[in-house]
Amino acid sequence: TTSTVSNITTTDATCGGNVTTDGGAAVTARGVCWNTTQNPTLSMTKANNGSTVNGSGIGSFTSSITGLSPGTTYYVRAYATNSKGTAYGSQTQFTTTAVAPVLTTTAASAITSSSLTSGGNISSDGGSAITARGACWGTSANPTITGSKTTDGTGTGSFTSNITGLTPGTTYYVNAYATNSI
């Protein structure tokens, strides 16, 4: 059987299982296998899969699942292997916790006395869809979206922000921003 998944974080979880019978041959390996597609097996070679080996024999065991992606749904099953083959427990699913997006700010260009162009590149949505993106600016370092900002769509990737209405001869600071559910 497959245990309930617990201790779910952005990149890790705990699961396990219970081997109740050896099927007439000694259990040589037991653990869990996971994937982003349903009914994971040890032979799956997709990028978002993995497995653990948690000893041998019958009885309960606990597995640490690591190296997961934030905000992603995974399917997991316990397994036990003996000389006759591998059997799997029932499938369970869990979703890792999402995190804030990862992005960089594009250097200011096309600078005039009252405008400039900036933007950014969102390399990761953090496991949750980007609902807003743009640039924020101000006369103090590290401006935030509570001040002046552009709104330049949704989603990951590069975007351009046209900032206008600036005061001539004033130093401005610009940050790209991206918003997800976190």
Side-chain angles (χ1 to χ4, degrees):
T1 59
T2 304
S3 301
T4 302
V5 180
S6 62
N7 302 321
I8 301 166
T9 69
T10 57
T11 59
D12 304 311
T14 302
C15 193
N18 185 24
V19 181
T20 57
T21 180
D22 62 12
V27 173
T28 56
R30 64 186 188 183
V32 297
C33 54
W34 64 90
N35 202 308
T36 56
T37 58
Q38 294 194 34
N39 301 311
T41 64
L42 292 175
S43 62
M44 288 181 139
T45 58
K46 190 175 178 206
N48 291 319
N49 74 310
S51 62
T52 64
V53 177
N54 301 104
S56 58
I58 59 172
S60 296
F61 61 91
T62 301
S63 301
S64 294
I65 302 172
T66 61
L68 305 175
S69 297
T72 304
T73 298
Y74 289 92
Y75 301 91
V76 62
R77 297 196 300 176
Y79 74 87
T81 302
N82 67 14
S83 60
K84 300 297 180 185
T86 300
Y88 296 92
S90 59
Q91 174 180 279
T92 188
Q93 74 180 53
F94 66 97
T95 302
T96 53
T97 308
V99 296
V102 177
L103 70 153
T104 57
T105 301
T106 304
S109 63
I111 300 168
T112 71
S113 61
S114 63
S115 66
L116 63 88
T117 300
S118 184
N121 183 31
I122 304 167
S123 57
S124 171
D125 65 8
S128 180
I130 301 296
T131 56
R133 68 184 188 181
C136 47
W137 68 92
T139 56
S140 298
N142 301 313
T144 67
I145 60 173
T146 60
S148 299
K149 68 178 181 180
T150 65
T151 303
D152 301 301
T154 61
T156 59
S158 295
F159 62 93
T160 300
S161 300
N162 295 310
I163 299 171
T164 60
L166 303 177
T167 304
T170 303
T171 300
Y172 287 94
Y173 299 88
V174 179
N175 278 335
Y177 75 89
T179 304
N180 67 11
S181 64
I182 301 304

